[in-house]
Amino acid sequence: MKNKKNFWFIFFTVAILSFTLLCLGIKYLLGNPVTPQNIAVYAVLSLVFGAVASALYLLQLKIMCSVFVLGLFAGYLDMFRTFLGSRSGWEDLAGLLSLFTWMAIGLCAGTVLQFLSYFYHKIRYRGKS
């Protein structure tokens, strides 16, 4: 039961924070208007991020989940930095690309660390059955 409660907590926390950070970044830092179509896209993207994080937690890949969430929020920080950078007209696309890049880095690094943890525990506890 506790695992299911944490699943929903992680899902809603990541989804709500992602939606909020996307809306605030686009509207206030970038200065673009937020339309209902944009809100729908931000909501779907945020729900996908929340679903990935909570699915990793539900599958008991806690290291991978943690590193994915850290990569996601590093991506938001880099996206905000890009939005505040030069005004060349491409900062919106560059910011979103940096968000997706950091999200992918977090997912890949989390996968590697989860495998290393698995193999470490498998080797360490091989003879203690």
Side-chain angles (χ1 to χ4, degrees):
M1 185 67 178
K2 181 182 176 190
N3 199 14
K4 194 171 189 178
K5 190 186 295 186
N6 288 340
F7 167 81
W8 289 110
F9 176 74
I10 290 172
F11 175 77
F12 285 118
T13 302
V14 171
I16 290 170
L17 281 174
S18 291
F19 181 79
T20 305
L21 290 173
L22 274 170
C23 283
L24 292 176
I26 298 291
K27 183 174 175 100
Y28 294 110
L29 292 179
L30 194 57
N32 287 349
V34 178
T35 64
Q37 183 180 6
N38 290 355
I39 290 175
V41 171
Y42 301 158
V44 169
L45 183 63
S46 299
L47 290 174
V48 168
F49 288 158
V52 169
S54 58
L56 291 173
Y57 181 80
L58 190 64
L59 293 171
Q60 296 179 355
L61 302 171
K62 293 180 178 130
I63 295 171
M64 193 172 170
C65 177
S66 300
V67 175
F68 170 74
V69 171
L70 286 174
L72 188 63
F73 289 109
Y76 279 112
L77 291 175
D78 196 31
M79 181 180 77
F80 294 158
R81 184 194 57 80
T82 304
F83 286 172
L84 293 173
S86 68
R87 294 292 177 188
S88 63
W90 290 95
E91 57 272 349
D92 53 350
L93 182 62
L96 290 174
L97 279 174
S98 66
L99 170 66
F100 292 134
T101 301
W102 277 103
M103 184 263 318
I105 288 170
L107 194 60
C108 293
T111 303
V112 169
L113 290 175
Q114 189 71 46
F115 276 129
L116 289 175
S117 172
Y118 171 76
F119 287 128
Y120 172 75
H121 288 293
K122 187 153 181 100
I123 290 169
R124 180 173 176 162
Y125 298 113
R126 182 180 349 162
K128 299 181 181 181
S129 299

